[in-house]
Amino acid sequence: VHVDDTSMHTVGETRGEIPDIIVPSVIHYAKRIKKLKLKLSDKGTIVTSHKKLTNAIHKELIAHNINYKKANETRDLGIKFTAAKYKPDKLFKARLTKSKHRTNKITRLAKISRLARNLYKASAFQASAWGHQACGVNKTQLETTEKRALACSGIPEQGRCRHTALIVAYGPLHTPHAILIRETIVAFTKLIKELNTTQIKDLKNAW
């Protein structure tokens, strides 16, 4: 039996609160795993907003024979998690790199038929932008995404305007920039609906 992406999260007003909450939870989880004759993955990672806090949690877990790695970031359901210490835009960069081969294939097809641009929207763009709501996109990455969309549009490069060509090829509501903004707002509003009163107050303070 393989159980993937089991994560535990907690927050606290002081650094000392976190270990008192998270460590007993992890220990209890480890005991339950052992009773089921399963074992903890060696990929387990501790990520916090402060190095001293990470070390403190790691030390306590080691004392109970639970050896998790220490890191500044990890993945939770395929999305980078950094304990809000910084924006994990490296994820988007990695997805851009992995989807480049797919984009190049669509670019060659678009030179034969402009209908191939639909493959970019349904395949290459989705592969490169998945999870962007949680990691953010910087200016360079957005520019790269738009250039790839143009390459897959079938519109000749010579003399074209990037903004106009994207609108002509994909429509004003379906350019990469428009999709990224829309999906981010939709994800944010869905999250707001799931928050309780205390969490909304914390969100206001964060803003």
Side-chain angles (χ1 to χ4, degrees), residues 2-6 29 33 38-45 66-69:
H2 175 73
V3 181
D4 197 12
D5 289 312
T6 303
Y29 176 73
I33 288 293
L38 300 174
K39 66 177 182 178
L40 294 173
S41 170
D42 56 2
K43 296 180 181 179
T45 309
I66 302 173
N67 190 8
Y68 281 165
K69 300 174 183 176

mmCIF file of all heavy atoms in Angstrom, residues 2-6 29 33 38-45 66-69:
data_model
loop_
_atom_site.group_PDB
_atom_site.id
_atom_site.type_symbol
_atom_site.label_atom_id
_atom_site.label_comp_id
_atom_site.label_asym_id
_atom_site.label_seq_id
_atom_site.Cartn_x
_atom_site.Cartn_y
_atom_site.Cartn_z
ATOM 1 N N HIS A 2 0.601 2.148 -0.906
ATOM 2 C CA HIS A 2 1.373 3.388 -0.979
ATOM 3 C C HIS A 2 0.423 4.564 -0.774
ATOM 4 O O HIS A 2 -0.540 4.738 -1.512
ATOM 5 C CB HIS A 2 2.059 3.508 -2.341
ATOM 6 C CG HIS A 2 2.773 4.815 -2.529
ATOM 7 N ND1 HIS A 2 3.953 5.125 -1.889
ATOM 8 C CD2 HIS A 2 2.455 5.906 -3.274
ATOM 9 C CE1 HIS A 2 4.352 6.329 -2.241
ATOM 10 N NE2 HIS A 2 3.453 6.826 -3.086
ATOM 11 N N VAL A 3 0.663 5.371 0.251
ATOM 12 C CA VAL A 3 -0.148 6.554 0.532
ATOM 13 C C VAL A 3 0.731 7.773 0.310
ATOM 14 O O VAL A 3 1.734 7.949 0.995
ATOM 15 C CB VAL A 3 -0.685 6.542 1.979
ATOM 16 C CG1 VAL A 3 -1.554 7.772 2.222
ATOM 17 C CG2 VAL A 3 -1.476 5.262 2.234
ATOM 18 N N ASP A 4 0.330 8.593 -0.634
ATOM 19 C CA ASP A 4 1.172 9.733 -1.005
ATOM 20 C C ASP A 4 0.544 11.044 -0.549
ATOM 21 O O ASP A 4 -0.662 11.139 -0.320
ATOM 22 C CB ASP A 4 1.342 9.756 -2.529
ATOM 23 C CG ASP A 4 2.507 10.637 -2.950
ATOM 24 O OD1 ASP A 4 3.286 11.028 -2.073
ATOM 25 O OD2 ASP A 4 2.620 10.911 -4.148
ATOM 26 N N ASP A 5 1.397 12.073 -0.415
ATOM 27 C CA ASP A 5 0.955 13.443 -0.123
ATOM 28 C C ASP A 5 0.127 13.547 1.148
ATOM 29 O O ASP A 5 -0.966 14.103 1.163
ATOM 30 C CB ASP A 5 0.170 14.017 -1.309
ATOM 31 C CG ASP A 5 1.073 14.301 -2.494
ATOM 32 O OD1 ASP A 5 2.113 14.918 -2.291
ATOM 33 O OD2 ASP A 5 0.732 13.875 -3.607
ATOM 34 N N THR A 6 0.628 12.977 2.223
ATOM 35 C CA THR A 6 0.017 13.161 3.532
ATOM 36 C C THR A 6 0.781 14.264 4.244
ATOM 37 O O THR A 6 1.953 14.108 4.553
ATOM 38 C CB THR A 6 0.089 11.858 4.367
ATOM 39 O OG1 THR A 6 -0.549 10.816 3.628
ATOM 40 C CG2 THR A 6 -0.612 12.034 5.695
ATOM 41 N N TYR A 29 0.855 9.956 14.394
ATOM 42 C CA TYR A 29 0.698 9.454 13.025
ATOM 43 C C TYR A 29 1.669 8.300 12.758
ATOM 44 O O TYR A 29 1.296 7.275 12.176
ATOM 45 C CB TYR A 29 0.937 10.597 12.037
ATOM 46 C CG TYR A 29 0.907 10.192 10.589
ATOM 47 C CD1 TYR A 29 -0.294 9.882 9.956
ATOM 48 C CD2 TYR A 29 2.079 10.124 9.835
ATOM 49 C CE1 TYR A 29 -0.323 9.508 8.621
ATOM 50 C CE2 TYR A 29 2.061 9.761 8.502
ATOM 51 C CZ TYR A 29 0.855 9.456 7.905
ATOM 52 O OH TYR A 29 0.824 9.085 6.581
ATOM 53 N N ILE A 33 0.831 4.420 11.791
ATOM 54 C CA ILE A 33 1.415 3.815 10.592
ATOM 55 C C ILE A 33 2.057 2.468 10.941
ATOM 56 O O ILE A 33 1.923 1.474 10.216
ATOM 57 C CB ILE A 33 2.462 4.769 9.968
ATOM 58 C CG1 ILE A 33 1.777 5.963 9.302
ATOM 59 C CG2 ILE A 33 3.351 4.046 8.964
ATOM 60 C CD1 ILE A 33 0.962 5.620 8.078
ATOM 61 N N LEU A 38 2.926 -0.417 8.074
ATOM 62 C CA LEU A 38 3.438 0.408 6.984
ATOM 63 C C LEU A 38 4.673 1.150 7.483
ATOM 64 O O LEU A 38 5.032 1.049 8.652
ATOM 65 C CB LEU A 38 2.366 1.406 6.533
ATOM 66 C CG LEU A 38 1.054 0.812 6.006
ATOM 67 C CD1 LEU A 38 0.052 1.916 5.735
ATOM 68 C CD2 LEU A 38 1.292 -0.003 4.744
ATOM 69 N N LYS A 39 5.304 1.898 6.617
ATOM 70 C CA LYS A 39 6.473 2.663 7.050
ATOM 71 C C LYS A 39 6.426 4.064 6.465
ATOM 72 O O LYS A 39 5.841 4.299 5.401
ATOM 73 C CB LYS A 39 7.767 1.953 6.642
ATOM 74 C CG LYS A 39 8.002 1.866 5.151
ATOM 75 C CD LYS A 39 9.362 1.207 4.871
ATOM 76 C CE LYS A 39 9.628 1.165 3.371
ATOM 77 N NZ LYS A 39 10.966 0.575 3.080
ATOM 78 N N LEU A 40 7.041 4.993 7.179
ATOM 79 C CA LEU A 40 7.082 6.374 6.728
ATOM 80 C C LEU A 40 8.047 6.519 5.553
ATOM 81 O O LEU A 40 9.097 5.886 5.528
ATOM 82 C CB LEU A 40 7.531 7.296 7.865
ATOM 83 C CG LEU A 40 6.584 7.418 9.059
ATOM 84 C CD1 LEU A 40 7.251 8.225 10.167
ATOM 85 C CD2 LEU A 40 5.279 8.085 8.657
ATOM 86 N N SER A 41 7.703 7.358 4.626
ATOM 87 C CA SER A 41 8.563 7.595 3.469
ATOM 88 C C SER A 41 9.813 8.369 3.879
ATOM 89 O O SER A 41 9.781 9.210 4.782
ATOM 90 C CB SER A 41 7.797 8.396 2.412
ATOM 91 O OG SER A 41 8.665 8.822 1.392
ATOM 92 N N ASP A 42 10.914 8.083 3.200
ATOM 93 C CA ASP A 42 12.147 8.823 3.480
ATOM 94 C C ASP A 42 12.144 10.184 2.778
ATOM 95 O O ASP A 42 13.115 10.939 2.853
ATOM 96 C CB ASP A 42 13.365 8.014 3.044
ATOM 97 C CG ASP A 42 13.306 7.616 1.574
ATOM 98 O OD1 ASP A 42 12.338 7.998 0.886
ATOM 99 O OD2 ASP A 42 14.222 6.910 1.119
ATOM 100 N N LYS A 43 11.045 10.507 2.105
ATOM 101 C CA LYS A 43 10.922 11.799 1.433
ATOM 102 C C LYS A 43 10.292 12.858 2.333
ATOM 103 O O LYS A 43 10.143 14.012 1.931
ATOM 104 C CB LYS A 43 10.080 11.662 0.155
ATOM 105 C CG LYS A 43 10.701 10.779 -0.911
ATOM 106 C CD LYS A 43 9.791 10.702 -2.121
ATOM 107 C CE LYS A 43 10.378 9.803 -3.208
ATOM 108 N NZ LYS A 43 9.478 9.711 -4.379
ATOM 109 N N GLY A 44 9.891 12.468 3.542
ATOM 110 C CA GLY A 44 9.269 13.402 4.469
ATOM 111 C C GLY A 44 10.134 14.623 4.705
ATOM 112 O O GLY A 44 11.346 14.510 4.869
ATOM 113 N N THR A 45 9.522 15.800 4.728
ATOM 114 C CA THR A 45 10.289 17.046 4.824
ATOM 115 C C THR A 45 9.661 18.002 5.835
ATOM 116 O O THR A 45 8.437 18.118 5.918
ATOM 117 C CB THR A 45 10.345 17.749 3.448
ATOM 118 O OG1 THR A 45 10.781 16.819 2.450
ATOM 119 C CG2 THR A 45 11.305 18.920 3.482
ATOM 120 N N ILE A 66 12.121 9.364 14.124
ATOM 121 C CA ILE A 66 11.441 9.848 12.922
ATOM 122 C C ILE A 66 12.402 10.807 12.220
ATOM 123 O O ILE A 66 12.644 11.916 12.684
ATOM 124 C CB ILE A 66 10.122 10.569 13.261
ATOM 125 C CG1 ILE A 66 9.184 9.631 14.028
ATOM 126 C CG2 ILE A 66 9.450 11.078 11.998
ATOM 127 C CD1 ILE A 66 7.939 10.310 14.553
ATOM 128 N N ASN A 67 12.964 10.349 11.129
ATOM 129 C CA ASN A 67 14.005 11.119 10.446
ATOM 130 C C ASN A 67 13.461 11.774 9.183
ATOM 131 O O ASN A 67 13.422 11.178 8.111
ATOM 132 C CB ASN A 67 15.184 10.213 10.103
ATOM 133 C CG ASN A 67 16.389 11.005 9.604
ATOM 134 O OD1 ASN A 67 16.388 12.230 9.657
ATOM 135 N ND2 ASN A 67 17.393 10.308 9.124
ATOM 136 N N TYR A 68 13.018 13.021 9.322
ATOM 137 C CA TYR A 68 12.546 13.792 8.186
ATOM 138 C C TYR A 68 13.622 14.786 7.747
ATOM 139 O O TYR A 68 14.409 15.263 8.563
ATOM 140 C CB TYR A 68 11.265 14.565 8.543
ATOM 141 C CG TYR A 68 10.004 13.733 8.517
ATOM 142 C CD1 TYR A 68 8.832 14.203 9.100
ATOM 143 C CD2 TYR A 68 9.972 12.493 7.897
ATOM 144 C CE1 TYR A 68 7.665 13.459 9.061
ATOM 145 C CE2 TYR A 68 8.814 11.738 7.861
ATOM 146 C CZ TYR A 68 7.663 12.222 8.438
ATOM 147 O OH TYR A 68 6.514 11.477 8.403
ATOM 148 N N LYS A 69 13.629 15.103 6.481
ATOM 149 C CA LYS A 69 14.605 16.053 5.950
ATOM 150 C C LYS A 69 14.240 17.482 6.361
ATOM 151 O O LYS A 69 13.074 17.790 6.627
ATOM 152 C CB LYS A 69 14.645 15.965 4.420
ATOM 153 C CG LYS A 69 15.032 14.605 3.874
ATOM 154 C CD LYS A 69 14.894 14.588 2.361
ATOM 155 C CE LYS A 69 15.197 13.214 1.789
ATOM 156 N NZ LYS A 69 14.972 13.163 0.325
#
